[in-house]
Amino acid sequence: MIHSLIARRGVSAAPVAGAAAALVLAAGTLSGCGDAGSTITRLTVGTPGPDPYTQVAATDRTDVKERPRAGGTKDGDSPGLYGGTRQASTCDQRKLVAFLQANPGKARAWADVQGIPAADIPRYVSRLTPVLLRTDTLVTNHGYRDGKATSGPAVLQAGMGVLINGYGVPAVKCNCGNPLTRPEQKVSTGKASYTGRSWPGFEKRNVTEVRPRGSRKGTIVTFVLVDPEGTMGFQRPRATEGESDGPPIALPATETEAPADDSPSPSDSGLESPGPESPGPESPGTEPTGTQSPGTGETPTPGAPPDGPGDGGGPEPGDPQNGGGAGGEGTGGMAPPAGPPHGPISLPPSRGPVPAVS
């Protein structure tokens, strides 16, 4: 019918068809490059960053030895994905709860990000676990400005203190109280531009995204952490602050295996993160009662041999950005490093991020 109308009016169908094809091609090009213009904010250790809920000192460290395997997507139950100081924590969860309770407006915005009622903040925070990042990590950082919530993609520098939820995903940035979630949309760390101060060793291909532990495995029981110097591993039961840490154990195997330096990360290749599952509500009495047997929790980069099965997970009520943990992997003990570790630091926030496109 369309062609007959065009013919009767003396208009050739070929130009129309060509124009339609051009529109389709243009649409495809735009959709394929939709993430190319993303801007990611780099946040250095000790820096609260934009729109902080509050400011807290001494939560981050500058001396954390970074994880050998970085970049791409890693499962939240990967042994050694996170670090920490054995029998110590720099993230004060009680202070965070008290601050939010004293600021009802901020509490409501904070709770909305986590998908919980504001009244559930004490319970929710008490079930998080303090750790140190061992890789530069991509997140969505949720701030608060002029009475409203803000959000944007950010890379947190290795050494930053965070609270992680029952599936191993960062949920709170300790030095400012900002809630964190997984990136809300496809973001290519290789194609995006970056703002904010950089740091020595920063490379786009080494930015890591954390994927939730598979919901069918249940929530984590014990995290396998690595000390800041990278000399030993230890276990930290979920929802504890260091007082229940286990004795030193051998480092996870991923600490001694050579990283695949030549393989691009999934984010650099433009691959989307796996779709989320929907685990059931997390409630007391439904968690595993023993230490889980961990997998490696690694997602192999293209061209690299697989390290083990990866199992995606997804949000649950109260844990919308879930990630997970793993049980003990160590098979032997090691003496703690000699001498006191370097102390935590807190640097003053920068006077406005310095734009840097790389």
Side-chain angles (χ1 to χ4, degrees):
M1 181 64 176
I2 294 176
H3 288 154
S4 63
L5 289 174
I6 292 175
R8 282 198 295 271
R9 293 176 182 176
V11 179
S12 172
V16 176
L23 288 173
V24 172
L25 178 60
T29 302
L30 289 172
S31 63
C33 298
D35 61 353
S38 299
T39 300
I40 301 174
T41 302
R42 285 180 294 224
L43 298 177
T44 59
V45 294
T47 303
D51 307 330
Y53 273 73
T54 182
Q55 295 190 35
V56 183
T59 65
D60 305 341
R61 296 185 62 138
T62 58
D63 60 337
V64 170
K65 181 178 179 181
E66 295 190 30
R67 192 170 190 252
R69 294 199 171 200
T73 302
K74 301 292 187 278
D75 289 331
D77 58 2
S78 303
L81 177 61
Y82 297 111
T85 300
R86 184 171 167 268
Q87 297 185 337
S89 169
T90 60
C91 202
D92 193 330
Q93 291 156 259
R94 296 171 187 81
K95 191 172 183 179
L96 173 62
V97 170
F99 170 80
L100 291 173
Q101 289 178 328
N103 295 270
K106 290 186 174 182
R108 285 190 296 270
W110 196 97
D112 283 345
V113 173
Q114 306 292 11
I116 60 174
D120 283 354
I121 287 177
R123 175 178 176 272
Y124 177 81
V125 173
S126 71
R127 298 171 72 179
L128 303 177
T129 307
V131 297
L132 296 173
L133 296 179
R134 299 188 67 227
T135 63
D136 298 337
T137 304
L138 179 67
V139 298
T140 297
N141 177 39
H142 299 265
Y144 189 86
R145 181 178 65 239
D146 299 330
K148 297 180 180 179
T150 63
S151 66
V155 170
L156 309 184
Q157 184 184 6
M160 192 167 289
V162 297
L163 295 173
I164 53 178
N165 65 22
Y167 292 84
V169 174
V172 180
K173 186 170 175 284
C174 293
N175 65 17
C176 63
N178 284 15
L180 305 172
T181 60
R182 296 183 67 200
E184 295 178 348
Q185 58 185 0
K186 179 182 176 184
V187 175
S188 172
T189 57
K191 296 177 182 178
S193 60
Y194 289 78
T195 62
R197 291 182 299 178
S198 187
W199 48 83
F202 172 79
E203 292 187 32
K204 295 179 181 181
R205 69 190 183 108
N206 288 335
V207 174
T208 301
E209 180 181 346
V210 181
R211 174 172 58 193
R213 170 186 173 93
S215 61
R216 290 185 295 273
K217 297 179 181 179
T219 53
I220 190 171
V221 174
T222 304
F223 291 98
V224 177
L225 307 182
V226 171
D227 72 315
E229 292 78 15
T231 60
M232 68 175 185
F234 63 94
Q235 295 184 353
R236 174 167 293 176
R238 181 193 169 198
T240 63
E241 302 176 32
E243 73 283 355
S244 301
D245 289 349
I249 59 176
L251 290 170
T254 49
E255 299 299 305
T256 55
E257 294 175 356
D261 292 331
D262 297 330
S263 299
S265 70
S267 56
D268 289 343
S269 303
L271 300 180
E272 296 205 38
S273 301
E277 298 175 7
S278 297
E282 188 181 300
S283 58
T286 61
E287 299 180 4
T289 55
T291 301
Q292 300 289 322
S293 177
T296 61
E298 304 286 348
T299 298
T301 54
D307 299 303
D311 192 357
E316 67 174 1
D319 278 339
Q321 71 285 1
N322 292 334
E329 179 178 281
T331 56
M334 295 180 61
H342 298 287
I345 65 137
S346 180
L347 303 177
S350 60
R351 299 180 181 274
V354 179
V357 178
S358 56

